[in-house]
């Protein structure tokens, strides 16, 4: 037989290319459309005459940022957010480390029920939890304020302590709530991670003379680092983006977090300052990006080759 | 002092008894090998000595001190794991030096001793690598290095050579014996390979189903097995066992073949005669002698295994008894040909139906007296 397979002729190649080009063009248009809001946010944040329309700025200014940080309570909001979310993430990691390890190693009959109960907390929509949680927090709040009042009679000191340790409208309450919200997923991530770390390493460390703490410090934590990075990243980003809990549990302006500040700025009765809002959005986005960049290094780290088989 | 004493040690896993009362003493500086088939409780026993498993009942003493409730990091024991369990995030040098670093040994001293261990195990060029970048044999040597670097008085090995190829295994065997000579540590070595046990051990502990089947020096176990389990476990190929009855020092096989045993055993029925392949002699039957085909003395060649140095002949007889027989060098036997076998009575063992060794009356009297 003579060969029937021939190189495609000029025409078919052309149609092939042009159909591909059309596909790419469509994709580019769609992605431009999706990226538009981001362009707008970044451009407007530096635009002296920012408006609600996407426009090429006449010049570049950092006035919006300056205004936000110096004249408004921007610094305070950022510090509140970083402090609350950072502490909550840290607490989440510690608790999830212990909890995940215990749940991974135990053989007890309640292991499975407990695991599902934990994830159930995550499945319930947060607004459904507001009323009961608020009730509990209010109860605890009365108690802690009683304690504070009995500790000191100096009103200024009482105010300060109450700000720090109140369960409602105080830092402690916000931190605990954020921790509790992020904990279920973090425990699951850590449990899965510890499942993949054979017990042999711990046994080898014990025979090398390592105490329990030394085993944790030199063997378990380094091996679980990618797990901690993943759990920490999720916890940080989720808590950072949370709007509902700060809204419910704070009333004082000094306690406002970034998303609350942004929301209230947007609702002001006078004309909306788009430059201000977009600058706020940029600042709000940055930590999440930084957290991701930081975690990425550990996320990709994998360990293998320690045990055979 | 680093004598290890096990006194009636037992282990239960949720009601099932896995180790069923073990009494063993391993002397200071002794190379003891625990050997037995898969699942007989070897690892469990070793892990109890290490402190990684609770002891359900009984006493464990190391150097005269009761160790039952001492945590593994306080026992000053080193262990080489069945899975090497090298720390994957540490380099070879860090792996080997970890135990020293934990004791806050000073850096220069750690380096010196790690290097010393690495030299001994030919690992110097690998010190900066991570375990993932090592071959099985190299990982094995790192695991051994990690165990010897702290100069422990007791080292436990759990089937350390089972993942290596045959050549490396032979090499590591001699290496381990040399290490033992140099350090003089007490070694407890677990394996399911009786060749490793025979070649390395000063004392073999044969474990069967959670019990000690027998223990003693390798050649004592070979010469004087106390039961059919040990008789068949020690020695390759395993000892032949033939059922039959004994009357007036004549052992009658199921096929009717009669063997004269000269040492004065008590009569009995349904006994087992044990004889090793190396203690059997082959006699060719004279061709065409007429009686050869249905003679109770004739055996049929089933399989011939030629290894060069030696050959193993698998035989069977009319009563479906099977025998393996060892010949020096090559042989020109054909499958299905008929042969006769001469039993060397001075190397025959007698076991009862339950597999317990029977002794000739003279010996029994000697023992009783
Ligand atoms: N955690 C456990 N729970 C229940 N049974 C167990 C447990 N660990 C071991 N066993 C049982 O104990 C018995 C002895 O196990 P062990 O690991 O000591 O065997 P082994 O002699 O080391 O075998 P191998 O040569 O295959 O390593 C086995 O029957 C095993 O099923
Ligand atoms: Mg084992």
């Amino acid at each position: 037989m003579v060969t029937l397979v021939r190189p495609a002729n000029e025409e078919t190649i052309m149609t092939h290319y042009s159909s591909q080009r059309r596909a790419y063009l469509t994709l580019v248009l769609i992605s431009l459309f999706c990226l538009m809001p981001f362009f707008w946010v970044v451009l407007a944040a530096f635009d002296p005459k920012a408006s609600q329309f996407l426009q090429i700025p006449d010049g570049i200014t950092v006035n919006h940022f300056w205004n936000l940080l110096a004249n408004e309570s921007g610094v305070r909001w950022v510090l509140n957010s970083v402090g609350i979310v950072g502490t909550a993430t840290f607490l989440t990691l510690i608790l999830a480390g212990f909890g995940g390890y215990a749940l991974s190693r135990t053989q007890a009959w309640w292991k499975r029920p407990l695991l599902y109960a934990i994830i159930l907390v995550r499945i319930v929509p947060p607004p459904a939890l507001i009323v009961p949680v608020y009730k509990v927090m209010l109860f605890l709040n009365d108690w802690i304020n009683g304690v504070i009042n009995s500790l000191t009679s100096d009103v200024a000191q009482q105010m300060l302590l109450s700000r720090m340790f109140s369960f409602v409208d105080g830092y402690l309450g916000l931190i605990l709530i954020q921790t509790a919200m992020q904990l279920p997923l973090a425990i699951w991530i850590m449990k899965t991670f510890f499942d993949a770390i054979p017990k042999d390493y711990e046994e080898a460390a014990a025979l090398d003379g390592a105490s329990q703490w030394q085993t944790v410090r030199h063997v378990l934590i380094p091996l679980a680092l990618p797990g901690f990075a993943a759990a920490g990243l999720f916890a940080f980003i989720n808590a950072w983006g949370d709007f509902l809990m700060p809204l419910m549990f704070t009333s004082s302006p000094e306690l406002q977090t970034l998303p609350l500040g942004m929301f209230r700025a947007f609702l002001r009765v006078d004309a909306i300052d788009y430059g201000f809002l977009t600058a706020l959005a940029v600042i709000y986005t940055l930590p999440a990006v930084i957290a991701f960049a930081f975690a990425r290094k550990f996320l990709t780290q994998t360990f293998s080759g320690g045990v055979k088989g | 002092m680093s004598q290890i004493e096990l006194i009636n040690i037992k282990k239960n896993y949720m009601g099932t008894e896995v180790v069923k009362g073990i009494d063993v003493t391993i002397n200071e500086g002794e190379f003891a090998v625990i050997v037995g088939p898969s699942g007989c409780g070897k690892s469990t026993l070793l892990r109890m000595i290490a402190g990684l498993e609770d002891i359900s009942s009984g006493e464990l003493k190391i150097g005269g001190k009761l160790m039952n409730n001492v945590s593994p990091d306080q026992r000053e024991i080193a262990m080489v794991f069945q899975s090497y369990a090298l720390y994957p995030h540490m380099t070879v040098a860090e792996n080997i030096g970890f135990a020293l670093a934990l004791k806050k040994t000073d850096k220069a001293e750690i380096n010196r001793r790690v290097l010393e261990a690495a030299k001994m195990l030919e690992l110097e060029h690998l010190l900066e690598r991570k375990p993932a970048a090592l071959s099985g044999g190299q990982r094995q040597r790192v695991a051994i290095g990690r165990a010897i670097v702290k100069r422990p008085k007791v080292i436990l090995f759990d089937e350390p050579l089972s993942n290596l190829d045959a050549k490396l295994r032979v090499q590591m065997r001699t290496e381990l014996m040399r290490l033992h000579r140099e350090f003089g540590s007490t070694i407890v070595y677990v394996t399911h390979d009786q060749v490793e046990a025979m070649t390395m051990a000063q004392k073999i502990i044969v474990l069967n189903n959670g019990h000690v089947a027998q223990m003693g020096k390798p050649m004592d176990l070979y010469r004087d097995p106390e039961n059919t389990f040990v008789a068949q476990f020690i020695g390759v190929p395993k000892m032949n066992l033939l059922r039959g009855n004994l009357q007036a020092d004549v052992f009658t096989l199921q096929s009717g073949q009669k063997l004269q045993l000269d040492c004065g055993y008590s009569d009995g029925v349904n006994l087992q005669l044990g004889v090793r392949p190396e203690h059997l002699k082959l006699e060719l039957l004279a061709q065409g002698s007429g009686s050869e085909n249905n003679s109770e003395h004739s055996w049929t060649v089933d399989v011939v295994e030629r290894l060069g140095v030696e050959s193993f002949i698998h035989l069977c007889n009319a009563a479906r008894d099977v025998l393996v027989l060892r010949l020096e060098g090559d042989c020109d036997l054909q499958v299905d040909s008929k042969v006769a076998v001469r039993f060397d009575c001075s190397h025959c063992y007698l076991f009862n139906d339950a597999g317990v060794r029977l002794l000739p009356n003279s010996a029994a009297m000697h023992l009783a007296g």
Side-chain angles (χ1 to χ4, degrees), chain A residues 175-186:
Chain A
I175 288 170
L176 287 183
I177 286 201
Q178 291 296 1
T179 308
M181 298 294 293
Q182 304 316 323
L183 206 47
L185 184 64

Side-chain angles (χ1 to χ4, degrees), chain A residues 60-134:
Chain A
I60 286 180
T61 176
V62 291
N63 270 348
H64 302 307
F65 290 93
W66 180 246
N67 183 27
L68 167 65
L69 297 177
N71 303 337
E72 305 264 354
S73 326
V75 176
R76 171 128 224 158
W77 300 340
V78 171
L79 288 182
N80 279 347
S81 268
V82 169
I84 291 166
V85 174
T87 316
T89 305
F90 184 70
L91 274 181
T92 303
L93 284 184
I94 290 180
L95 295 175
F98 283 118
Y101 178 78
L103 280 166
S104 161
R105 293 297 189 254
T106 182
Q107 299 294 330
W109 63 268
W110 42 259
K111 174 173 174 164
R112 251 163 210 289
L114 185 61
L115 271 170
Y116 287 117
I118 287 172
I119 207 67
L120 204 64
V121 176
R122 183 79 203 184
I123 289 165
V124 176
L129 291 172
I130 287 175
V131 177
V133 171
Y134 201 88

Side-chain angles (χ1 to χ4, degrees), chain B residues 13-14 16 18-19 36-45 53 82 158-159 190-192 207:
Chain B
Y13 280 120
M14 287 161 286
T16 46
V18 177
V19 173
S38 189
C40 70
K42 306 182 297 287
S43 298
T44 308
L45 188 60
E53 259 351 302
Q82 193 164 2
D158 192 355
E159 309 208 14
V190 160
T191 178
H192 60 252
L207 226 55

